[in-house]
Amino acid sequence: MLPHDFLTEIAHQHELSPEQEAVFLLRLGKGQSYEEIAAELSTSADACLKRMGQVYKKLNISGSSRGKENRLRIFLNNKLRQLEYPQKNLEKATAKKNIANFSQTEGEYTFTPKPEEFRIFQNLPAREYTAFVGREREIIRLMELLSPQHSAHLISVDGIGGVGKTTLAVEVAYRCFETSLNQGFISDIPTFEAIIFTSAKQNHLTSIGLLPRLTQERTLREICREIARTLDISEISNLPLQEQIEITRQKLSQLRTLLIVDNLETIEDKQEVLSLLYDLPPTVKVIITTREQALFVPIRLGCLPREHGLRLIQHEAKEKSVTINPTESQELFDGVSGIPAAIIYAIGQIAAGYILEDVLPQIKDPQGDVARFCFSGSVNSLKNQPPHYLLMTLSLFVQPVTRETAAGVAFENSDPIITNRGLAKLQQLSLAYQQEGRYGLLNLTREYALAELTTHREFAQKLRQRWVNWYVKFSEAYGTSNWKEWHVDYGYLETEWENLRCVLEWCMFQGRYADFLAIWQHIKGYVHIRGYWDERLDWAAWLIEAAKQAGDWSTAVEAICDRASTLIRIRQKSQLKEGEKLLQEAWHLRHHKTIKFQLDLAANMAILYIQEGKLQQAKEWLTIEQELLQQASLSDVESQEQQVHILYYQGRISYQSGDYEESKIIFQQALEQAKKVGWQRATAAMHNWLADIAVILGNLKEARELLELSLPMAQRHKDKRSIAFHKATFAKLEKLTGNLTQAKRLAKEAAEGFESLKMVTEAKEMQSLFSN
């Protein structure tokens, strides 16, 4: 039987699911039959066979089903031997001498094969890791392309610096090398007679920092010299270059060869090197690693997926005897954007005595080792050109943006052709990514580009102004000051929400009152409905003080009411107390606002006292609201909406008094008026309250019909508060009908919604429901 730890590592390397891994370990580790495995896993033997079939596929074991398990065992035993004796295998291959005699006759070089011993020519660098984590999909694809059955001749592996291009190429080369050593072993991994590695990389990023690479192949002549040295024909190095090329091509035509050309972008005579690679014989497969997206058969490397990145963090921590808890692992992964080289560097720094809080700023430092390794070379080539300006522009956006947004902010007078070329160049250098027509930067790239922006002060000042102006116009186009109704254009705000929030926070920090106000007036309704109440409270508090300092009392009163209306809906004692104080202040300052605004202010007073259980005072404020309505000069629709509002809170008062029949009648009246004016949000709220009353009165069918009609409406418009209330009522309904699993699920979801809105009282009620 094979060792459990070894099989577990293989399972992780090949990304087996937990179910597949369980069958794999029991079959290969314990030798159990499929019937025994099925009994232990509480499943069927057929299900176990199916999972094992998926294991064969992921481990690239092909052929007839009868011989697959035997081939898998051979593969695993061979892999285990290689792990136990890696250096022995390497020495075995490199110790065997001359596959051919090299002679010169009348100025021509000829090769006479020597049959006595099989040899693999190779000059692979040492692996810099003890276990290769992740990238199995890319490895499988690369193996397919290297297969003699595939016509691909030039294969590129591209991606940002530090993403693992060289590591992937070297890992694949070693797997091919190890398989080539065992010619009798049946495998889908390609075999070669020569594996040659050349690199133009100037530095290594290691766990202790940047180290210069002492040997580099940065020219066509140097690459030819390294090929000749590896193939034991160094004698040709003194010949004219063209003759070297001809002899090298002749030699390579006799050998199945894998040639790795690392760091294409730093090769000095790139075009001449590419000409050589294009003209190589069909016996040669070439892997080119580059930061520039190439037009060969490409394998594009992005950041590690979170699961693999966290696994790499834990592996490196174990290797270096460093303890990192799950929270720190997540923080590190996010801080380095899942870039493997940055992860390895960070763990090395922690092992050297630094703490994580110190390491992350080092990584983001534009003059630090990681930033210089990953970005400097690429960015320096773009200085003071449109792609450079676009890169700095994209650094302002925390979410990807459209081409039009990037161009409109980057340039005073944007040219579509220049913009398209600039964005394409950033993608070619893996500095920016494009997803569904939107362009963005990785967090680590963004930090570097922001640092670049600070060194271009004049451009930064103009850029920031265009950035703010863009979102002022955007909020005017897609926002609305009416938070009482849902709006279809909120989808546009949702897409840009993180960017909008960033602009508002910057305006606050810079004290740009007018710009902040211009955006806030149009998005505060969206912020309320989507449940961003923390931001709403913070921003309203800042706006109150800024408006008072500016002597803008109309805005100050409005901001006071905005903050108070959010506080009283949270319903906590301290929030209600502050909300009452703010509403009283607003009421004393009401002369700065119109009667229409005063109607909303009176309504908020009524809500406050309903929340506090002071129902008589709530009724008095509804009376004041009714009197103000009679004085106001409103349109018919506006007047009817205000009447719906008054009826709604009259229904709430009756409900809270325990008079459910009267509450039902009032809510039905409000519902009819809301439908008449097409007020969807109010219609959904009435349905919710009528359903709640129907549950109390035992009319469960009626309650279900109402909820099934209005909950989808709230979900479609992503009204977080309305969704939470609907699910709370639905949970009570399911509990009464005996659907306890559904009731528990809905109560839990409602509680989570209330908690996100800081509505602790409602959340506790739901927690009590599903805990019981």
Side-chain angles (χ1 to χ4, degrees), residues 200-478:
K201 189 176 290 185
Q202 296 169 290
N203 298 293
H204 295 290
L205 179 61
T206 71
S207 59
I208 60 172
L210 277 179
L211 295 176
R213 191 171 184 272
L214 299 180
T215 58
Q216 302 169 29
E217 293 77 44
R218 301 188 64 187
T219 64
L220 177 59
R221 182 176 290 278
E222 289 171 349
I223 289 172
C224 286
R225 185 170 63 238
E226 183 60 23
I227 293 172
R229 189 189 68 78
T230 305
L231 297 178
D232 282 352
I233 52 173
S234 299
E235 298 92 327
I236 70 171
S237 297
N238 295 323
L239 296 175
L241 181 59
Q242 192 56 46
E243 289 186 37
Q244 290 184 47
I245 291 172
E246 288 302 318
I247 295 167
T248 300
R249 288 186 76 256
Q250 183 186 359
K251 176 73 172 179
L252 291 174
S253 69
Q254 300 173 4
L255 299 167
R256 294 192 312 277
T257 304
L258 171 59
L259 172 62
I260 298 171
V261 178
D262 185 42
N263 250 55
L264 177 68
E265 69 276 4
T266 53
I267 288 177
E268 293 175 3
D269 46 357
K270 188 190 306 182
Q271 295 305 314
E272 288 79 1
V273 170
L274 288 174
S275 296
L276 168 70
L277 300 181
Y278 270 108
D279 288 339
L280 288 175
T283 53
V284 182
K285 294 276 188 174
V286 183
I287 298 176
I288 298 168
T289 75
T290 175
R291 298 186 183 193
E292 300 178 0
Q293 292 185 2
L295 297 178
F296 315 120
V297 181
I299 291 179
R300 303 232 149 95
L301 292 191
C303 303
L304 282 174
R306 183 171 294 272
E307 178 190 351
H308 298 166
L310 295 175
R311 209 158 75 210
L312 177 60
I313 289 169
Q314 290 304 318
H315 171 77
E316 287 294 314
K318 184 178 178 182
E319 286 288 306
K320 293 179 173 60
S321 301
V322 169
T323 301
I324 294 186
N325 64 44
T327 303
E328 290 172 330
S329 293
Q330 296 282 356
E331 185 181 351
L332 174 55
F333 179 86
D334 292 332
V336 303
S337 301
I339 295 176
I343 289 173
I344 293 167
Y345 173 85
I347 300 297
Q349 293 297 296
I350 293 170
Y354 292 93
I355 60 174
L356 182 61
E357 288 75 12
D358 295 332
V359 171
L360 288 177
Q362 286 181 36
I363 290 173
K364 296 174 183 178
D365 179 3
Q367 302 304 317
D369 289 341
V370 174
R372 286 191 292 131
F373 179 80
C374 294
F375 307 116
S376 291
S378 299
V379 174
N380 288 341
S381 66
L382 305 176
K383 292 281 188 179
N384 302 318
Q385 299 175 52
H388 190 219
Y389 297 130
L390 282 165
L391 177 68
M392 291 186 287
T393 299
L394 290 175
S395 73
L396 297 181
F397 303 100
V398 293
Q399 275 183 311
V401 291
T402 63
R403 186 191 306 262
E404 293 72 25
T405 302
V409 175
F411 307 112
E412 193 167 346
N413 299 301
S414 61
D415 182 327
I417 295 175
I418 290 174
T419 301
N420 294 347
R421 287 175 179 169
L423 290 172
K425 185 63 176 177
L426 293 179
Q427 290 180 85
Q428 288 163 13
L429 292 171
S430 302
L431 290 170
Y433 64 88
Q434 190 248 95
Q435 191 173 31
E436 298 178 356
R438 302 178 77 86
Y439 296 83
L441 306 178
L442 297 175
N443 287 338
L444 201 57
T445 314
R446 184 169 173 266
E447 293 281 350
Y448 185 86
L450 278 171
E452 277 285 300
L453 183 60
T454 60
T455 65
H456 295 72
R457 296 183 63 181
E458 185 178 348
F459 174 72
Q461 188 176 2
K462 293 177 180 178
L463 181 69
R464 290 279 187 183
Q465 187 59 59
R466 288 194 294 268
W467 177 57
V468 172
N469 291 345
W470 179 273
Y471 280 104
V472 169
K473 292 176 182 176
F474 182 86
S475 62
E476 288 173 354
Y478 299 113

Side-chain angles (χ1 to χ4, degrees), residues 10 16 94 128 145 158 170 203 255 280 342 422 447 449 499 532 583 589 604-605 668 709 718 728 741 764:
I10 291 291
L16 301 189
T94 54
E128 297 177 0
L145 296 175
D158 60 60
V170 169
N203 298 293
L255 299 167
L280 288 175
E447 293 281 350
N499 291 325
Y532 299 121
L583 288 173
L589 296 168
N604 276 312
M605 284 291 200
Q668 285 174 335
L709 188 62
K718 299 181 181 178
T741 302
K764 285 181 177 177

Side-chain angles (χ1 to χ4, degrees), residues 27 44 48 51 127 161 168 176 220 223 238 258 301 317 329 348 378 447 467 505 575 600 612 711 747:
R27 183 68 175 168
S44 67
C48 294
R51 291 174 191 173
R127 282 168 162 145
L168 177 69
C176 292
L220 177 59
I223 289 172
N238 295 323
L258 171 59
L301 292 191
S329 293
S378 299
E447 293 281 350
W467 177 57
E505 295 282 355
Q575 279 88 353
D600 289 339
E612 291 182 333
L711 175 56

